[in-house]
Amino acid sequence: MDYKFWFCTGSQDLYGDECLKKVAANSAKIVEMLNKEKAIPFEIVLKPTLITQESIRRTLNEANSDLECAGVITWMHTFSPAKMWINGLRELRKPLCHLATQFNDEIPYDTIDMDFMNENQSAHGDREYGHIVSRMGIERKIIFGHWAEPSVCDRLAKWMRTAIGIVESSHIRVCRVGDNMNNVAVTEGDKVEAQIKFGWEVDHYCVNDLVDYVEAVPKGDVEALVEEYYSKYNILYEDRDPEEFRRHVAVQAAIELGAEKFLKDGNYHAIVTHFGMLGGLKQVPGLAIQRLMEKGYGFGAEGDWKTAAMVRLMKLMTKGMEGSKGSSFMEDYTYNLIAGKQGALESHMLEVCPTVSDGPISIKVSPLSMGNREDPARLVFTSKTGDGIAASLVDLGTRFRLIINAVECKKVEKPMPKLPVATAFWQPKPNLQVGVEAWILAGGAHHTAFSYDLTAEQMVDWADAMGIESVVIDENTRIREFKNELKWNSMLYR
Ligand code: MN
């Protein structure tokens, strides 16, 4: 979808046509500048200045019915009496941003008169408009600052990506070819409630429905994809026979092609597998799943459909992003508890998305004790350094909670030559001890949706739009306050 955002300026007719002409011209200039900004990921469309209840209601309803409109940016250039906004806002179903800005950045001390004040009174209009949005309890993003400031553009750009997550959430369709792993609690959840809250459709198939697709992939297509793998990735034979190695890789190529067709035919955007329910699959899907994630599909292992949908959501929110560092399914595996070198090694038995890789990517074929099948081929690499977020959506029985941890990814001190999986290594904020204690207190899972390209603020805004609880573990987290926050939240979200 070629998403666009609408720019709606609020005013009134009290100040005369001359003033309204200037308001419209100023709005046009802001929109023109924002559309030229590289950071702004989607086109912003200027709408006529809104000065009556009728025009506000009509415009916001047009936004509702325009499939390309992913959100409405509002700006109060002058004073816009907010009762005019009530009916329109009550009916608005698109993400809403209040850009609390002002056309001029400095008070023109030498020339300022009452005409100028009346024309440039965002400080006044923003409060009147903000009051009614708050009184009506409508979720919106408030972004304050001069419109030409890079930090304002950056925050607006981030909110636009959050808005994509909000409008796209209800299009996420997850395909399960296996149920959740027996006896595991944290990956479970209420699929009906997930559809009510997030719009996600979570369906189930027999894994052998997928196997039929895998077996139907023409040999030539498999061979061509294997060739692509061999040209793109390093091949780490280690002690394996090259022909046997290639046969194992070809199994994953067939799974990639078969699964992709299976997902496309069913209009699915995320998939879960389960190593205990492989049916006629010859290997646990490894390299195949890694490549599908790279193409933008969501994934969750062991039937974890909540994380699969969250990974898909992150892929949507970061699509086409300049300088993207990647998003992936992850799992907390092993700690390093040595002072000064603390962190958690992140990986999975196979399935880490290559978008997070740093440097060369290699193919390995190694035994896997789980799954009782052939040794699966997989992509191995280490991940980039820098800030990211790990998110876990858990079902607390009567409601969902999204737990978001700001993490700093680092390089491990030494290579791990015997570990045949892709990895990341991160230090949770504020530090390993508080980060882990808070995560466990909040009931966060071992599976996460991870991204270098999103912020905790974006995920909180998304959760607020979905009407669910979110908690952030970051540099400001202290356990005593965090425990209280969880207690207070339990009163609010019942
Ligand atoms: Mn797992």
Side-chain angles (χ1 to χ4, degrees):
M1 181 79 69
D2 205 2
Y3 281 120
K4 293 176 172 57
F5 285 78
W6 289 16
F7 193 95
C8 297
T9 308
S11 188
Q12 63 173 329
D13 56 10
L14 192 68
Y15 312 115
D17 287 347
E18 204 50 41
C19 174
L20 283 172
K21 268 185 205 158
K22 285 184 189 162
V23 168
N26 290 348
S27 299
K29 178 143 194 226
I30 292 179
V31 169
E32 189 192 342
M33 191 288 296
L34 289 172
N35 278 327
K36 278 186 192 153
E37 281 295 314
K38 253 182 124 181
I40 298 294
F42 301 94
E43 187 188 342
I44 299 172
V45 180
L46 178 66
K47 291 287 158 181
T49 309
L50 299 174
I51 57 171
T52 62
Q53 170 170 206
E54 292 70 27
S55 62
I56 291 168
R57 190 174 192 173
R58 188 178 60 247
T59 302
L60 297 187
N61 272 298
E62 283 167 5
N64 287 336
S65 56
D66 186 329
L67 290 177
E68 286 190 340
C69 174
V72 176
I73 301 162
T74 48
W75 173 42
M76 301 305 121
H77 187 300
T78 54
F79 196 71
S80 184
K83 286 189 196 170
M84 296 192 312
W85 286 82
I86 292 175
N87 286 334
L89 286 173
R90 197 169 53 193
E91 289 159 12
L92 179 67
R93 294 188 308 275
K94 292 288 167 87
L96 178 65
C97 174
H98 178 184
L99 182 61
T101 191
Q102 172 175 288
F103 189 71
N104 54 303
D105 56 354
E106 190 175 24
I107 295 172
Y109 295 105
D110 298 334
T111 57
I112 188 166
D113 56 13
M114 276 320 288
D115 284 344
F116 183 91
M117 289 252 279
N118 283 331
E119 199 178 293
N120 297 279
Q121 52 174 319
S122 300
H124 191 160
D126 278 336
R127 281 159 177 76
E128 166 73 359
Y129 171 71
H131 168 77
I132 206 67
V133 185
S134 288
R135 174 165 169 166
M136 292 174 74
I138 294 169
E139 275 307 326
R140 86 291 208 184
K141 184 70 179 174
I142 303 170
I143 298 175
F144 175 76
H146 193 249
W147 49 276
E149 277 290 321
S151 65
V152 171
C153 288
D154 180 62
R155 293 187 68 213
L156 187 62
K158 284 193 166 73
W159 172 78
M160 290 165 95
R161 292 195 170 278
T162 306
I164 297 301
I166 294 166
V167 296
E168 279 277 358
S169 187
S170 63
H171 305 300
I172 292 177
R173 300 184 76 241
V174 184
C175 166
R176 302 157 66 231
V177 288
D179 200 355
N180 297 66
M181 189 175 159
N182 288 343
N183 297 318
V184 174
V186 76
T187 62
E188 284 285 358
D190 182 338
K191 297 191 283 290
V192 179
E193 195 59 23
Q195 187 156 3
I196 293 170
K197 279 283 185 297
F198 313 120
W200 300 345
E201 288 181 68
V202 185
D203 292 342
H204 175 248
Y205 292 83
C206 174
V207 67
N208 282 339
D209 296 337
L210 170 62
V211 172
D212 291 344
Y213 271 75
V214 172
E215 285 176 354
V217 178
K219 290 267 178 301
D221 293 1
V222 173
E223 201 40 48
L225 187 56
V226 170
E227 275 303 316
E228 185 188 324
Y229 293 167
Y230 273 60
S231 65
K232 198 167 174 187
Y233 308 117
N234 297 327
I235 306 298
L236 297 181
Y237 291 120
E238 295 172 329
D239 292 331
R240 301 188 84 104
D241 170 64
E243 275 181 33
E244 181 249 7
F245 188 102
R246 195 178 173 103
R247 278 199 302 278
H248 282 235
V249 173
V251 168
Q252 293 287 337
I255 298 174
E256 178 183 336
L257 293 169
E260 190 168 18
K261 182 160 172 31
F262 186 75
L263 293 171
K264 279 194 173 140
D265 284 358
N267 190 29
Y268 291 103
H269 318 101
I271 186 168
V272 304
T273 59
H274 180 353
F275 64 83
M277 297 181 192
L278 293 173
L281 288 174
K282 291 183 192 141
Q283 298 174 15
V284 175
L287 193 160
I289 290 292
Q290 293 176 290
R291 297 258 311 176
L292 288 174
M293 261 194 282
E294 187 179 27
K295 289 173 180 170
Y297 290 95
F299 172 74
E302 293 93 53
D304 187 349
W305 54 268
K306 297 200 301 301
T307 309
M310 289 304 297
V311 171
R312 168 65 179 170
L313 186 78
M314 288 182 165
K315 298 283 183 190
L316 289 166
M317 288 170 74
T318 58
K319 193 176 170 187
M321 191 171 161
E322 184 121 341
S324 166
K325 291 168 75 178
S327 305
S328 181
F329 172 76
M330 277 296 181
E331 181 170 89
D332 298 308
Y333 247 109
T334 300
Y335 299 126
N336 188 9
L337 299 172
I338 299 302
K341 302 170 179 177
Q342 291 179 323
L345 189 65
E346 302 290 318
S347 187
H348 202 260
M349 61 179 76
L350 299 168
E351 314 91 335
V352 180
C353 179
T355 57
V356 301
S357 72
D358 189 24
I361 299 175
S362 306
I363 300 181
K364 277 196 187 197
V365 174
S366 297
L368 183 68
S369 59
M370 273 159 307
N372 191 27
R373 292 290 190 283
E374 282 183 1
D375 299 354
R378 76 287 303 271
L379 298 172
V380 295
F381 50 84
T382 58
S383 300
K384 299 178 184 79
T385 57
D387 288 338
I389 52 155
S392 168
L393 181 69
V394 295
D395 186 332
L396 297 177
T398 52
R399 61 195 182 83
F400 291 106
R401 171 185 284 159
L402 183 67
I403 303 136
I404 306 145
N405 194 179
V407 300
E408 187 190 350
C409 296
K410 301 181 169 190
K411 288 284 170 199
V412 287
E413 295 167 73
K414 298 178 191 173
M416 299 172 284
K418 293 194 168 175
L419 192 65
V421 284
T423 57
F425 180 78
W426 70 47
Q427 194 167 57
K429 288 184 181 180
N431 54 57
L432 184 66
Q433 179 219 320
V434 176
V436 170
E437 288 179 11
W439 186 269
I440 293 171
L441 267 174
H446 53 290
H447 285 170
T448 58
F450 166 79
S451 180
Y452 289 105
D453 305 323
L454 294 167
T455 62
E457 183 178 330
Q458 287 175 290
M459 298 314 295
V460 168
D461 288 344
W462 177 80
D464 286 346
M466 298 296 126
I468 65 156
E469 179 194 7
S470 62
V471 289
V472 174
I473 303 164
D474 64 6
E475 61 278 4
N476 299 315
T477 297
R478 286 139 68 114
I479 291 296
R480 191 149 55 106
E481 289 161 11
F482 190 73
K483 274 181 91 165
N484 281 336
E485 183 183 346
L486 295 177
K487 285 179 196 165
W488 296 329
N489 284 353
S490 72
M491 299 298 289
L492 179 63
Y493 297 94
R494 287 170 182 273

